[in-house]
Amino acid sequence: MTQVDETALNEVGHTHNDVSGGWLRPAVFGAMDGLVTNISLVAGVGGGGASAHVIVLTGMAGLVAGAFSMALGEYASVQTQNDSVQAEVAVERRELRENPAAEKAELVQMFAEMGLSDKTARQVAEEIHADEELAVRVHIEQELGVNPNDQPSPLVAAVSSFLCFSIGALFPLLPFLFGWELLLAGLGVGGVGLFVAGALVARFTTRPWWWNGLRQLLFGVVAAGATYLVGLLIGVSAAG
């Protein structure tokens, strides 16, 4: 690498967030799901006239069940995705060995469609195909849009989902755990959690923090409102 190249790299002043699905997606999904799920559970059983003890029992059961369900689901999902990518890598490797000319021509065409001249596209394809591992990786990246050497970790996804779901699901239970046996208090704390979570997630996007927070809060209100009505109707019917 030349001195100019090294200087240019040293002056790069930005980094990128995790957009490959490593920990961010399961963390966000877990936190939001934990909040909405337990806010809805609290609203449902509270609307049915359940005692604070029943609300806490239901909420804690929902927390544990949901956290394990999310974690196991994320692990299986990410592992299956990774296995699928590796299966495609095996297919691509076989094609490169059996039909190298066709695969090279395919790569030349893809580079040409990206805007490279025919001469440059052929030169780049030739250099890439001189290294089988590089050729496999480039073909997979161009054809599937994923880097086979940089796949998300199933364990990281599972742990992120488990922890964030648990934290989110705990929010609407906090007032009850501290002895404040008011349904509105639990729903209010849960609503604050939704708004804060949405606002924090906005850091990884281009949306305003307040808009993202209000959007998540609205989602929670819709879900909680529906389950509250269910609880109210079943509670009234049971009492009758």
Side-chain angles (χ1 to χ4, degrees), residues 93-132:
R93 193 185 304 279
R94 184 173 64 249
E95 286 298 317
L96 283 168
R97 292 173 178 174
E98 295 178 356
N99 304 294
E103 290 296 307
K104 188 182 297 182
E106 180 184 42
L107 194 58
V108 170
Q109 181 181 356
M110 286 189 285
F111 286 150
E113 291 173 353
M114 292 169 59
L116 297 181
S117 67
D118 184 68
K119 179 181 179 181
T120 302
R122 291 182 183 280
Q123 288 177 337
V124 174
E126 285 285 350
E127 185 169 344
I128 289 174
H129 272 249
D131 183 336
E132 182 180 277

PDB file of all heavy atoms in Angstrom, residues 93-132:
ATOM      1  N   ARG A  93     -19.164 -22.917  -5.623  1.00  0.00           N
ATOM      2  CA  ARG A  93     -17.827 -23.498  -5.745  1.00  0.00           C
ATOM      3  C   ARG A  93     -17.831 -24.617  -6.800  1.00  0.00           C
ATOM      4  O   ARG A  93     -16.893 -24.723  -7.606  1.00  0.00           O
ATOM      5  CB  ARG A  93     -17.369 -24.045  -4.395  1.00  0.00           C
ATOM      6  CG  ARG A  93     -15.879 -24.397  -4.345  1.00  0.00           C
ATOM      7  CD  ARG A  93     -15.527 -25.048  -3.014  1.00  0.00           C
ATOM      8  NE  ARG A  93     -15.911 -24.203  -1.896  1.00  0.00           N
ATOM      9  CZ  ARG A  93     -15.202 -23.164  -1.449  1.00  0.00           C
ATOM     10  NH1 ARG A  93     -14.065 -22.847  -2.053  1.00  0.00           N
ATOM     11  NH2 ARG A  93     -15.612 -22.456  -0.421  1.00  0.00           N
ATOM     12  N   ARG A  94     -18.886 -25.425  -6.802  1.00  0.00           N
ATOM     13  CA  ARG A  94     -18.979 -26.503  -7.788  1.00  0.00           C
ATOM     14  C   ARG A  94     -19.109 -25.944  -9.209  1.00  0.00           C
ATOM     15  O   ARG A  94     -18.474 -26.432 -10.147  1.00  0.00           O
ATOM     16  CB  ARG A  94     -20.179 -27.397  -7.475  1.00  0.00           C
ATOM     17  CG  ARG A  94     -20.293 -28.608  -8.403  1.00  0.00           C
ATOM     18  CD  ARG A  94     -21.375 -29.571  -7.966  1.00  0.00           C
ATOM     19  NE  ARG A  94     -22.704 -28.970  -8.035  1.00  0.00           N
ATOM     20  CZ  ARG A  94     -23.436 -28.665  -6.965  1.00  0.00           C
ATOM     21  NH1 ARG A  94     -22.968 -28.884  -5.743  1.00  0.00           N
ATOM     22  NH2 ARG A  94     -24.641 -28.144  -7.102  1.00  0.00           N
ATOM     23  N   GLU A  95     -19.897 -24.896  -9.359  1.00  0.00           N
ATOM     24  CA  GLU A  95     -20.072 -24.284 -10.673  1.00  0.00           C
ATOM     25  C   GLU A  95     -18.770 -23.671 -11.175  1.00  0.00           C
ATOM     26  O   GLU A  95     -18.454 -23.734 -12.370  1.00  0.00           O
ATOM     27  CB  GLU A  95     -21.166 -23.212 -10.603  1.00  0.00           C
ATOM     28  CG  GLU A  95     -22.570 -23.757 -10.497  1.00  0.00           C
ATOM     29  CD  GLU A  95     -22.953 -24.583 -11.715  1.00  0.00           C
ATOM     30  OE1 GLU A  95     -22.635 -24.156 -12.845  1.00  0.00           O
ATOM     31  OE2 GLU A  95     -23.521 -25.673 -11.542  1.00  0.00           O
ATOM     32  N   LEU A  96     -18.016 -23.047 -10.272  1.00  0.00           N
ATOM     33  CA  LEU A  96     -16.742 -22.446 -10.662  1.00  0.00           C
ATOM     34  C   LEU A  96     -15.754 -23.495 -11.159  1.00  0.00           C
ATOM     35  O   LEU A  96     -14.938 -23.222 -12.042  1.00  0.00           O
ATOM     36  CB  LEU A  96     -16.145 -21.672  -9.482  1.00  0.00           C
ATOM     37  CG  LEU A  96     -16.770 -20.304  -9.185  1.00  0.00           C
ATOM     38  CD1 LEU A  96     -16.292 -19.774  -7.839  1.00  0.00           C
ATOM     39  CD2 LEU A  96     -16.429 -19.313 -10.292  1.00  0.00           C
ATOM     40  N   ARG A  97     -15.814 -24.685 -10.580  1.00  0.00           N
ATOM     41  CA  ARG A  97     -14.896 -25.754 -10.983  1.00  0.00           C
ATOM     42  C   ARG A  97     -15.359 -26.452 -12.258  1.00  0.00           C
ATOM     43  O   ARG A  97     -14.542 -26.870 -13.070  1.00  0.00           O
ATOM     44  CB  ARG A  97     -14.757 -26.766  -9.846  1.00  0.00           C
ATOM     45  CG  ARG A  97     -14.025 -26.206  -8.631  1.00  0.00           C
ATOM     46  CD  ARG A  97     -14.042 -27.169  -7.457  1.00  0.00           C
ATOM     47  NE  ARG A  97     -13.279 -26.614  -6.327  1.00  0.00           N
ATOM     48  CZ  ARG A  97     -13.215 -27.184  -5.121  1.00  0.00           C
ATOM     49  NH1 ARG A  97     -13.855 -28.331  -4.896  1.00  0.00           N
ATOM     50  NH2 ARG A  97     -12.517 -26.616  -4.162  1.00  0.00           N
ATOM     51  N   GLU A  98     -16.681 -26.551 -12.434  1.00  0.00           N
ATOM     52  CA  GLU A  98     -17.200 -27.278 -13.589  1.00  0.00           C
ATOM     53  C   GLU A  98     -17.417 -26.383 -14.801  1.00  0.00           C
ATOM     54  O   GLU A  98     -17.295 -26.845 -15.940  1.00  0.00           O
ATOM     55  CB  GLU A  98     -18.524 -27.966 -13.208  1.00  0.00           C
ATOM     56  CG  GLU A  98     -18.356 -29.044 -12.146  1.00  0.00           C
ATOM     57  CD  GLU A  98     -19.676 -29.679 -11.751  1.00  0.00           C
ATOM     58  OE1 GLU A  98     -20.736 -29.215 -12.253  1.00  0.00           O
ATOM     59  OE2 GLU A  98     -19.662 -30.630 -10.941  1.00  0.00           O
ATOM     60  N   ASN A  99     -17.753 -25.118 -14.581  1.00  0.00           N
ATOM     61  CA  ASN A  99     -18.039 -24.200 -15.684  1.00  0.00           C
ATOM     62  C   ASN A  99     -17.349 -22.860 -15.456  1.00  0.00           C
ATOM     63  O   ASN A  99     -18.009 -21.808 -15.336  1.00  0.00           O
ATOM     64  CB  ASN A  99     -19.552 -23.974 -15.822  1.00  0.00           C
ATOM     65  CG  ASN A  99     -20.326 -25.263 -16.004  1.00  0.00           C
ATOM     66  OD1 ASN A  99     -20.180 -25.945 -17.020  1.00  0.00           O
ATOM     67  ND2 ASN A  99     -21.147 -25.595 -15.021  1.00  0.00           N
ATOM     68  N   PRO A 100     -16.013 -22.857 -15.384  1.00  0.00           N
ATOM     69  CA  PRO A 100     -15.301 -21.618 -15.064  1.00  0.00           C
ATOM     70  C   PRO A 100     -15.508 -20.505 -16.092  1.00  0.00           C
ATOM     71  O   PRO A 100     -15.637 -19.329 -15.729  1.00  0.00           O
ATOM     72  CB  PRO A 100     -13.835 -22.053 -15.012  1.00  0.00           C
ATOM     73  CG  PRO A 100     -13.776 -23.312 -15.813  1.00  0.00           C
ATOM     74  CD  PRO A 100     -15.083 -23.986 -15.603  1.00  0.00           C
ATOM     75  N   ALA A 101     -15.559 -20.861 -17.368  1.00  0.00           N
ATOM     76  CA  ALA A 101     -15.727 -19.838 -18.408  1.00  0.00           C
ATOM     77  C   ALA A 101     -17.084 -19.158 -18.296  1.00  0.00           C
ATOM     78  O   ALA A 101     -17.194 -17.922 -18.408  1.00  0.00           O
ATOM     79  CB  ALA A 101     -15.568 -20.471 -19.787  1.00  0.00           C
ATOM     80  N   ALA A 102     -18.127 -19.941 -18.067  1.00  0.00           N
ATOM     81  CA  ALA A 102     -19.473 -19.379 -17.945  1.00  0.00           C
ATOM     82  C   ALA A 102     -19.587 -18.486 -16.708  1.00  0.00           C
ATOM     83  O   ALA A 102     -20.204 -17.417 -16.754  1.00  0.00           O
ATOM     84  CB  ALA A 102     -20.505 -20.502 -17.883  1.00  0.00           C
ATOM     85  N   GLU A 103     -18.973 -18.926 -15.604  1.00  0.00           N
ATOM     86  CA  GLU A 103     -19.020 -18.137 -14.384  1.00  0.00           C
ATOM     87  C   GLU A 103     -18.251 -16.831 -14.533  1.00  0.00           C
ATOM     88  O   GLU A 103     -18.669 -15.779 -14.057  1.00  0.00           O
ATOM     89  CB  GLU A 103     -18.445 -18.949 -13.213  1.00  0.00           C
ATOM     90  CG  GLU A 103     -19.316 -20.095 -12.770  1.00  0.00           C
ATOM     91  CD  GLU A 103     -20.651 -19.618 -12.214  1.00  0.00           C
ATOM     92  OE1 GLU A 103     -20.655 -18.767 -11.303  1.00  0.00           O
ATOM     93  OE2 GLU A 103     -21.692 -20.090 -12.707  1.00  0.00           O
ATOM     94  N   LYS A 104     -17.127 -16.905 -15.245  1.00  0.00           N
ATOM     95  CA  LYS A 104     -16.338 -15.686 -15.469  1.00  0.00           C
ATOM     96  C   LYS A 104     -17.120 -14.713 -16.354  1.00  0.00           C
ATOM     97  O   LYS A 104     -17.145 -13.505 -16.103  1.00  0.00           O
ATOM     98  CB  LYS A 104     -15.007 -16.042 -16.122  1.00  0.00           C
ATOM     99  CG  LYS A 104     -14.043 -14.865 -16.206  1.00  0.00           C
ATOM    100  CD  LYS A 104     -12.746 -15.274 -16.911  1.00  0.00           C
ATOM    101  CE  LYS A 104     -12.014 -16.359 -16.127  1.00  0.00           C
ATOM    102  NZ  LYS A 104     -10.725 -16.731 -16.777  1.00  0.00           N
ATOM    103  N   ALA A 105     -17.780 -15.242 -17.377  1.00  0.00           N
ATOM    104  CA  ALA A 105     -18.579 -14.398 -18.264  1.00  0.00           C
ATOM    105  C   ALA A 105     -19.734 -13.754 -17.493  1.00  0.00           C
ATOM    106  O   ALA A 105     -20.095 -12.589 -17.726  1.00  0.00           O
ATOM    107  CB  ALA A 105     -19.121 -15.227 -19.426  1.00  0.00           C
ATOM    108  N   GLU A 106     -20.306 -14.510 -16.576  1.00  0.00           N
ATOM    109  CA  GLU A 106     -21.387 -13.978 -15.742  1.00  0.00           C
ATOM    110  C   GLU A 106     -20.896 -12.802 -14.900  1.00  0.00           C
ATOM    111  O   GLU A 106     -21.582 -11.784 -14.766  1.00  0.00           O
ATOM    112  CB  GLU A 106     -21.936 -15.085 -14.841  1.00  0.00           C
ATOM    113  CG  GLU A 106     -23.071 -14.643 -13.934  1.00  0.00           C
ATOM    114  CD  GLU A 106     -23.520 -15.754 -12.997  1.00  0.00           C
ATOM    115  OE1 GLU A 106     -22.646 -16.469 -12.444  1.00  0.00           O
ATOM    116  OE2 GLU A 106     -24.745 -15.902 -12.815  1.00  0.00           O
ATOM    117  N   LEU A 107     -19.689 -12.948 -14.342  1.00  0.00           N
ATOM    118  CA  LEU A 107     -19.125 -11.886 -13.513  1.00  0.00           C
ATOM    119  C   LEU A 107     -18.803 -10.654 -14.363  1.00  0.00           C
ATOM    120  O   LEU A 107     -19.038  -9.516 -13.928  1.00  0.00           O
ATOM    121  CB  LEU A 107     -17.868 -12.392 -12.809  1.00  0.00           C
ATOM    122  CG  LEU A 107     -17.333 -11.530 -11.659  1.00  0.00           C
ATOM    123  CD1 LEU A 107     -18.386 -11.341 -10.584  1.00  0.00           C
ATOM    124  CD2 LEU A 107     -16.076 -12.164 -11.071  1.00  0.00           C
ATOM    125  N   VAL A 108     -18.287 -10.873 -15.564  1.00  0.00           N
ATOM    126  CA  VAL A 108     -18.003  -9.753 -16.473  1.00  0.00           C
ATOM    127  C   VAL A 108     -19.290  -8.983 -16.763  1.00  0.00           C
ATOM    128  O   VAL A 108     -19.313  -7.745 -16.754  1.00  0.00           O
ATOM    129  CB  VAL A 108     -17.380 -10.265 -17.798  1.00  0.00           C
ATOM    130  CG1 VAL A 108     -17.317  -9.132 -18.826  1.00  0.00           C
ATOM    131  CG2 VAL A 108     -15.990 -10.828 -17.547  1.00  0.00           C
ATOM    132  N   GLN A 109     -20.368  -9.698 -17.005  1.00  0.00           N
ATOM    133  CA  GLN A 109     -21.643  -9.056 -17.290  1.00  0.00           C
ATOM    134  C   GLN A 109     -22.136  -8.238 -16.095  1.00  0.00           C
ATOM    135  O   GLN A 109     -22.627  -7.113 -16.260  1.00  0.00           O
ATOM    136  CB  GLN A 109     -22.687 -10.105 -17.667  1.00  0.00           C
ATOM    137  CG  GLN A 109     -24.046  -9.501 -18.013  1.00  0.00           C
ATOM    138  CD  GLN A 109     -25.079 -10.562 -18.368  1.00  0.00           C
ATOM    139  OE1 GLN A 109     -24.760 -11.757 -18.423  1.00  0.00           O
ATOM    140  NE2 GLN A 109     -26.302 -10.130 -18.609  1.00  0.00           N
ATOM    141  N   MET A 110     -21.994  -8.787 -14.890  1.00  0.00           N
ATOM    142  CA  MET A 110     -22.432  -8.065 -13.692  1.00  0.00           C
ATOM    143  C   MET A 110     -21.635  -6.787 -13.500  1.00  0.00           C
ATOM    144  O   MET A 110     -22.193  -5.739 -13.161  1.00  0.00           O
ATOM    145  CB  MET A 110     -22.316  -8.977 -12.460  1.00  0.00           C
ATOM    146  CG  MET A 110     -23.378 -10.055 -12.395  1.00  0.00           C
ATOM    147  SD  MET A 110     -23.383 -10.961 -10.828  1.00  0.00           S
ATOM    148  CE  MET A 110     -21.934 -11.994 -11.040  1.00  0.00           C
ATOM    149  N   PHE A 111     -20.325  -6.856 -13.725  1.00  0.00           N
ATOM    150  CA  PHE A 111     -19.489  -5.665 -13.596  1.00  0.00           C
ATOM    151  C   PHE A 111     -19.841  -4.632 -14.661  1.00  0.00           C
ATOM    152  O   PHE A 111     -19.830  -3.423 -14.405  1.00  0.00           O
ATOM    153  CB  PHE A 111     -18.011  -6.038 -13.685  1.00  0.00           C
ATOM    154  CG  PHE A 111     -17.472  -6.719 -12.464  1.00  0.00           C
ATOM    155  CD1 PHE A 111     -16.435  -7.641 -12.560  1.00  0.00           C
ATOM    156  CD2 PHE A 111     -17.990  -6.440 -11.206  1.00  0.00           C
ATOM    157  CE1 PHE A 111     -15.928  -8.265 -11.430  1.00  0.00           C
ATOM    158  CE2 PHE A 111     -17.487  -7.058 -10.072  1.00  0.00           C
ATOM    159  CZ  PHE A 111     -16.462  -7.973 -10.176  1.00  0.00           C
ATOM    160  N   ALA A 112     -20.142  -5.105 -15.872  1.00  0.00           N
ATOM    161  CA  ALA A 112     -20.529  -4.195 -16.949  1.00  0.00           C
ATOM    162  C   ALA A 112     -21.832  -3.484 -16.605  1.00  0.00           C
ATOM    163  O   ALA A 112     -21.995  -2.288 -16.868  1.00  0.00           O
ATOM    164  CB  ALA A 112     -20.667  -4.965 -18.265  1.00  0.00           C
ATOM    165  N   GLU A 113     -22.768  -4.220 -16.007  1.00  0.00           N
ATOM    166  CA  GLU A 113     -24.042  -3.624 -15.604  1.00  0.00           C
ATOM    167  C   GLU A 113     -23.869  -2.607 -14.483  1.00  0.00           C
ATOM    168  O   GLU A 113     -24.701  -1.717 -14.299  1.00  0.00           O
ATOM    169  CB  GLU A 113     -25.014  -4.721 -15.171  1.00  0.00           C
ATOM    170  CG  GLU A 113     -25.487  -5.604 -16.323  1.00  0.00           C
ATOM    171  CD  GLU A 113     -26.318  -6.775 -15.856  1.00  0.00           C
ATOM    172  OE1 GLU A 113     -26.415  -6.981 -14.614  1.00  0.00           O
ATOM    173  OE2 GLU A 113     -26.880  -7.488 -16.714  1.00  0.00           O
ATOM    174  N   MET A 114     -22.768  -2.738 -13.725  1.00  0.00           N
ATOM    175  CA  MET A 114     -22.466  -1.774 -12.672  1.00  0.00           C
ATOM    176  C   MET A 114     -21.845  -0.492 -13.235  1.00  0.00           C
ATOM    177  O   MET A 114     -21.690   0.489 -12.509  1.00  0.00           O
ATOM    178  CB  MET A 114     -21.508  -2.394 -11.654  1.00  0.00           C
ATOM    179  CG  MET A 114     -22.124  -3.517 -10.834  1.00  0.00           C
ATOM    180  SD  MET A 114     -20.885  -4.431  -9.856  1.00  0.00           S
ATOM    181  CE  MET A 114     -20.198  -3.116  -8.837  1.00  0.00           C
ATOM    182  N   GLY A 115     -21.467  -0.506 -14.520  1.00  0.00           N
ATOM    183  CA  GLY A 115     -20.929   0.692 -15.137  1.00  0.00           C
ATOM    184  C   GLY A 115     -19.485   0.611 -15.560  1.00  0.00           C
ATOM    185  O   GLY A 115     -18.941   1.572 -16.115  1.00  0.00           O
ATOM    186  N   LEU A 116     -18.816  -0.536 -15.313  1.00  0.00           N
ATOM    187  CA  LEU A 116     -17.430  -0.674 -15.734  1.00  0.00           C
ATOM    188  C   LEU A 116     -17.357  -0.894 -17.240  1.00  0.00           C
ATOM    189  O   LEU A 116     -18.268  -1.476 -17.836  1.00  0.00           O
ATOM    190  CB  LEU A 116     -16.767  -1.855 -15.013  1.00  0.00           C
ATOM    191  CG  LEU A 116     -16.642  -1.767 -13.491  1.00  0.00           C
ATOM    192  CD1 LEU A 116     -15.952  -3.009 -12.962  1.00  0.00           C
ATOM    193  CD2 LEU A 116     -15.890  -0.517 -13.068  1.00  0.00           C
ATOM    194  N   SER A 117     -16.278  -0.454 -17.837  1.00  0.00           N
ATOM    195  CA  SER A 117     -16.079  -0.716 -19.262  1.00  0.00           C
ATOM    196  C   SER A 117     -15.857  -2.209 -19.468  1.00  0.00           C
ATOM    197  O   SER A 117     -15.483  -2.933 -18.526  1.00  0.00           O
ATOM    198  CB  SER A 117     -14.882   0.065 -19.790  1.00  0.00           C
ATOM    199  OG  SER A 117     -13.677  -0.425 -19.206  1.00  0.00           O
ATOM    200  N   ASP A 118     -16.075  -2.672 -20.689  1.00  0.00           N
ATOM    201  CA  ASP A 118     -15.923  -4.099 -20.975  1.00  0.00           C
ATOM    202  C   ASP A 118     -14.501  -4.565 -20.685  1.00  0.00           C
ATOM    203  O   ASP A 118     -14.294  -5.637 -20.107  1.00  0.00           O
ATOM    204  CB  ASP A 118     -16.275  -4.373 -22.435  1.00  0.00           C
ATOM    205  CG  ASP A 118     -16.220  -5.857 -22.768  1.00  0.00           C
ATOM    206  OD1 ASP A 118     -17.068  -6.614 -22.258  1.00  0.00           O
ATOM    207  OD2 ASP A 118     -15.311  -6.261 -23.521  1.00  0.00           O
ATOM    208  N   LYS A 119     -13.519  -3.740 -21.070  1.00  0.00           N
ATOM    209  CA  LYS A 119     -12.124  -4.101 -20.842  1.00  0.00           C
ATOM    210  C   LYS A 119     -11.816  -4.229 -19.356  1.00  0.00           C
ATOM    211  O   LYS A 119     -11.204  -5.212 -18.910  1.00  0.00           O
ATOM    212  CB  LYS A 119     -11.209  -3.056 -21.472  1.00  0.00           C
ATOM    213  CG  LYS A 119      -9.726  -3.328 -21.258  1.00  0.00           C
ATOM    214  CD  LYS A 119      -8.873  -2.236 -21.897  1.00  0.00           C
ATOM    215  CE  LYS A 119      -7.388  -2.510 -21.661  1.00  0.00           C
ATOM    216  NZ  LYS A 119      -6.528  -1.441 -22.247  1.00  0.00           N
ATOM    217  N   THR A 120     -12.257  -3.227 -18.571  1.00  0.00           N
ATOM    218  CA  THR A 120     -11.999  -3.246 -17.127  1.00  0.00           C
ATOM    219  C   THR A 120     -12.736  -4.406 -16.466  1.00  0.00           C
ATOM    220  O   THR A 120     -12.183  -5.087 -15.596  1.00  0.00           O
ATOM    221  CB  THR A 120     -12.434  -1.919 -16.487  1.00  0.00           C
ATOM    222  OG1 THR A 120     -11.725  -0.849 -17.111  1.00  0.00           O
ATOM    223  CG2 THR A 120     -12.164  -1.924 -14.999  1.00  0.00           C
ATOM    224  N   ALA A 121     -13.981  -4.642 -16.880  1.00  0.00           N
ATOM    225  CA  ALA A 121     -14.768  -5.742 -16.307  1.00  0.00           C
ATOM    226  C   ALA A 121     -14.081  -7.076 -16.531  1.00  0.00           C
ATOM    227  O   ALA A 121     -14.022  -7.931 -15.634  1.00  0.00           O
ATOM    228  CB  ALA A 121     -16.165  -5.750 -16.920  1.00  0.00           C
ATOM    229  N   ARG A 122     -13.513  -7.280 -17.716  1.00  0.00           N
ATOM    230  CA  ARG A 122     -12.823  -8.542 -18.020  1.00  0.00           C
ATOM    231  C   ARG A 122     -11.529  -8.662 -17.209  1.00  0.00           C
ATOM    232  O   ARG A 122     -11.201  -9.749 -16.720  1.00  0.00           O
ATOM    233  CB  ARG A 122     -12.530  -8.639 -19.515  1.00  0.00           C
ATOM    234  CG  ARG A 122     -13.774  -8.802 -20.358  1.00  0.00           C
ATOM    235  CD  ARG A 122     -13.454  -8.952 -21.838  1.00  0.00           C
ATOM    236  NE  ARG A 122     -14.674  -9.030 -22.633  1.00  0.00           N
ATOM    237  CZ  ARG A 122     -15.409 -10.138 -22.760  1.00  0.00           C
ATOM    238  NH1 ARG A 122     -14.999 -11.272 -22.175  1.00  0.00           N
ATOM    239  NH2 ARG A 122     -16.507 -10.129 -23.483  1.00  0.00           N
ATOM    240  N   GLN A 123     -10.811  -7.553 -17.061  1.00  0.00           N
ATOM    241  CA  GLN A 123      -9.566  -7.586 -16.291  1.00  0.00           C
ATOM    242  C   GLN A 123      -9.849  -7.917 -14.817  1.00  0.00           C
ATOM    243  O   GLN A 123      -9.139  -8.729 -14.211  1.00  0.00           O
ATOM    244  CB  GLN A 123      -8.849  -6.238 -16.405  1.00  0.00           C
ATOM    245  CG  GLN A 123      -8.226  -5.974 -17.772  1.00  0.00           C
ATOM    246  CD  GLN A 123      -7.600  -4.598 -17.858  1.00  0.00           C
ATOM    247  OE1 GLN A 123      -7.955  -3.689 -17.109  1.00  0.00           O
ATOM    248  NE2 GLN A 123      -6.648  -4.439 -18.780  1.00  0.00           N
ATOM    249  N   VAL A 124     -10.861  -7.278 -14.272  1.00  0.00           N
ATOM    250  CA  VAL A 124     -11.207  -7.528 -12.870  1.00  0.00           C
ATOM    251  C   VAL A 124     -11.660  -8.969 -12.688  1.00  0.00           C
ATOM    252  O   VAL A 124     -11.266  -9.649 -11.729  1.00  0.00           O
ATOM    253  CB  VAL A 124     -12.309  -6.547 -12.400  1.00  0.00           C
ATOM    254  CG1 VAL A 124     -12.778  -6.901 -10.995  1.00  0.00           C
ATOM    255  CG2 VAL A 124     -11.804  -5.120 -12.431  1.00  0.00           C
ATOM    256  N   ALA A 125     -12.501  -9.461 -13.592  1.00  0.00           N
ATOM    257  CA  ALA A 125     -12.985 -10.838 -13.495  1.00  0.00           C
ATOM    258  C   ALA A 125     -11.838 -11.829 -13.589  1.00  0.00           C
ATOM    259  O   ALA A 125     -11.807 -12.842 -12.869  1.00  0.00           O
ATOM    260  CB  ALA A 125     -14.019 -11.105 -14.579  1.00  0.00           C
ATOM    261  N   GLU A 126     -10.882 -11.566 -14.476  1.00  0.00           N
ATOM    262  CA  GLU A 126      -9.719 -12.446 -14.604  1.00  0.00           C
ATOM    263  C   GLU A 126      -8.934 -12.512 -13.301  1.00  0.00           C
ATOM    264  O   GLU A 126      -8.537 -13.588 -12.850  1.00  0.00           O
ATOM    265  CB  GLU A 126      -8.803 -11.930 -15.729  1.00  0.00           C
ATOM    266  CG  GLU A 126      -9.310 -12.193 -17.130  1.00  0.00           C
ATOM    267  CD  GLU A 126      -9.155 -13.644 -17.548  1.00  0.00           C
ATOM    268  OE1 GLU A 126      -8.495 -14.408 -16.825  1.00  0.00           O
ATOM    269  OE2 GLU A 126      -9.722 -14.018 -18.598  1.00  0.00           O
ATOM    270  N   GLU A 127      -8.699 -11.344 -12.708  1.00  0.00           N
ATOM    271  CA  GLU A 127      -7.931 -11.314 -11.456  1.00  0.00           C
ATOM    272  C   GLU A 127      -8.679 -12.003 -10.326  1.00  0.00           C
ATOM    273  O   GLU A 127      -8.083 -12.739  -9.527  1.00  0.00           O
ATOM    274  CB  GLU A 127      -7.620  -9.866 -11.084  1.00  0.00           C
ATOM    275  CG  GLU A 127      -6.713  -9.753  -9.866  1.00  0.00           C
ATOM    276  CD  GLU A 127      -6.184  -8.347  -9.662  1.00  0.00           C
ATOM    277  OE1 GLU A 127      -6.261  -7.534 -10.612  1.00  0.00           O
ATOM    278  OE2 GLU A 127      -5.693  -8.064  -8.550  1.00  0.00           O
ATOM    279  N   ILE A 128      -9.969 -11.800 -10.255  1.00  0.00           N
ATOM    280  CA  ILE A 128     -10.772 -12.435  -9.203  1.00  0.00           C
ATOM    281  C   ILE A 128     -10.777 -13.948  -9.378  1.00  0.00           C
ATOM    282  O   ILE A 128     -10.614 -14.703  -8.401  1.00  0.00           O
ATOM    283  CB  ILE A 128     -12.211 -11.880  -9.224  1.00  0.00           C
ATOM    284  CG1 ILE A 128     -12.223 -10.442  -8.712  1.00  0.00           C
ATOM    285  CG2 ILE A 128     -13.144 -12.758  -8.374  1.00  0.00           C
ATOM    286  CD1 ILE A 128     -13.570  -9.755  -8.838  1.00  0.00           C
ATOM    287  N   HIS A 129     -10.920 -14.415 -10.599  1.00  0.00           N
ATOM    288  CA  HIS A 129     -11.010 -15.863 -10.837  1.00  0.00           C
ATOM    289  C   HIS A 129      -9.665 -16.563 -10.696  1.00  0.00           C
ATOM    290  O   HIS A 129      -9.605 -17.795 -10.713  1.00  0.00           O
ATOM    291  CB  HIS A 129     -11.614 -16.134 -12.216  1.00  0.00           C
ATOM    292  CG  HIS A 129     -13.101 -16.203 -12.191  1.00  0.00           C
ATOM    293  ND1 HIS A 129     -13.811 -17.358 -12.393  1.00  0.00           N
ATOM    294  CD2 HIS A 129     -14.028 -15.245 -11.949  1.00  0.00           C
ATOM    295  CE1 HIS A 129     -15.108 -17.124 -12.294  1.00  0.00           C
ATOM    296  NE2 HIS A 129     -15.266 -15.836 -12.032  1.00  0.00           N
ATOM    297  N   ALA A 130      -8.595 -15.804 -10.542  1.00  0.00           N
ATOM    298  CA  ALA A 130      -7.295 -16.427 -10.291  1.00  0.00           C
ATOM    299  C   ALA A 130      -7.222 -17.012  -8.886  1.00  0.00           C
ATOM    300  O   ALA A 130      -6.364 -17.854  -8.596  1.00  0.00           O
ATOM    301  CB  ALA A 130      -6.180 -15.400 -10.497  1.00  0.00           C
ATOM    302  N   ASP A 131      -8.124 -16.576  -8.007  1.00  0.00           N
ATOM    303  CA  ASP A 131      -8.186 -17.061  -6.620  1.00  0.00           C
ATOM    304  C   ASP A 131      -9.577 -17.638  -6.387  1.00  0.00           C
ATOM    305  O   ASP A 131     -10.567 -16.906  -6.383  1.00  0.00           O
ATOM    306  CB  ASP A 131      -7.910 -15.907  -5.650  1.00  0.00           C
ATOM    307  CG  ASP A 131      -7.891 -16.347  -4.189  1.00  0.00           C
ATOM    308  OD1 ASP A 131      -8.514 -17.375  -3.855  1.00  0.00           O
ATOM    309  OD2 ASP A 131      -7.267 -15.641  -3.369  1.00  0.00           O
ATOM    310  N   GLU A 132      -9.659 -18.943  -6.210  1.00  0.00           N
ATOM    311  CA  GLU A 132     -10.968 -19.591  -6.098  1.00  0.00           C
ATOM    312  C   GLU A 132     -11.794 -19.060  -4.928  1.00  0.00           C
ATOM    313  O   GLU A 132     -12.993 -18.805  -5.063  1.00  0.00           O
ATOM    314  CB  GLU A 132     -10.807 -21.104  -5.951  1.00  0.00           C
ATOM    315  CG  GLU A 132     -12.155 -21.831  -5.880  1.00  0.00           C
ATOM    316  CD  GLU A 132     -12.028 -23.332  -5.729  1.00  0.00           C
ATOM    317  OE1 GLU A 132     -11.843 -24.014  -6.760  1.00  0.00           O
ATOM    318  OE2 GLU A 132     -12.090 -23.808  -4.578  1.00  0.00           O
TER     319      GLU A 132
END
